[in-house]
Amino acid sequence: MVMHPRAAQRQPIDMQAIAAYLQAMDWSDLPIFLAIARTGQLARAAQALEIDATTAGRRLRRLEKALGERLFEQGTDGQSLTPAGERLLTHARAMERAAAAIGSRDPGGPVRGTVRASVSEGFGTWFVSRHLGELA
């Protein structure tokens, strides 16, 4: 068996550690993190997300615990990102863009795909067949 030269240099991936990390981190805490980073204040972020400030604070603490790092420092004028928070911000923004791209399509472009409808014979003959052209 011939091995690629770089394959010998690769470190094995610890899938158990990755699975444990992904289970510990709640992905739904990232929008709260992003809102705090954008507004600079926990209360403003909570207001923008239409949640209670104590909920936002609790979710931020949960995220920090899952990551094992403080993401914000409390200052007189609000929260400022720590170096760990700056690193997470880069990744969280990329994740936000990727998530937004999943559902996006060209709004002026055609909708394509197959539509299957299961209706009774009478309803299909009486109603659907008469209005099928409107759907095309």
Side-chain angles (χ1 to χ4, degrees), residues 98-128:
I102 289 172
S104 68
R105 64 173 183 82
D106 179 14
V111 176
R112 298 175 189 252
T114 302
V115 175
R116 289 189 175 96
S118 177
V119 296
S120 66
E121 183 179 350
F123 183 72
T125 304
W126 177 75
F127 182 80
V128 175

Side-chain angles (χ1 to χ4, degrees), residues 9-123:
Q9 298 171 2
R10 291 184 189 142
Q11 297 295 321
I13 298 172
D14 185 354
M15 293 305 289
Q16 287 181 332
I18 291 172
Y21 168 75
L22 293 176
Q23 288 175 357
M25 187 180 122
D26 187 339
W27 297 88
S28 66
D29 293 338
L30 289 175
I32 294 168
F33 165 78
L34 285 167
I36 298 168
R38 287 186 179 120
T39 62
Q41 290 189 342
L42 192 119
R44 278 195 216 151
Q47 186 178 16
L49 295 170
E50 298 180 351
I51 61 173
D52 191 72
T54 57
T55 300
R58 186 176 61 250
R59 301 271 302 272
L60 174 61
R61 285 189 303 276
R62 181 172 68 183
L63 180 60
E64 289 177 330
K65 182 178 178 186
L67 297 175
E69 298 189 76
R70 288 193 47 94
L71 302 172
F72 293 95
E73 290 294 333
Q74 179 66 45
T76 56
D77 57 343
Q79 282 75 25
S80 59
L81 288 165
T82 63
E86 292 284 352
R87 287 191 305 275
L88 179 60
L89 182 61
T90 301
H91 296 296
R93 283 180 175 161
M95 290 173 64
E96 183 180 48
R97 285 190 302 274
I102 289 172
S104 68
R105 64 173 183 82
D106 179 14
V111 176
R112 298 175 189 252
T114 302
V115 175
R116 289 189 175 96
S118 177
V119 296
S120 66
E121 183 179 350
F123 183 72

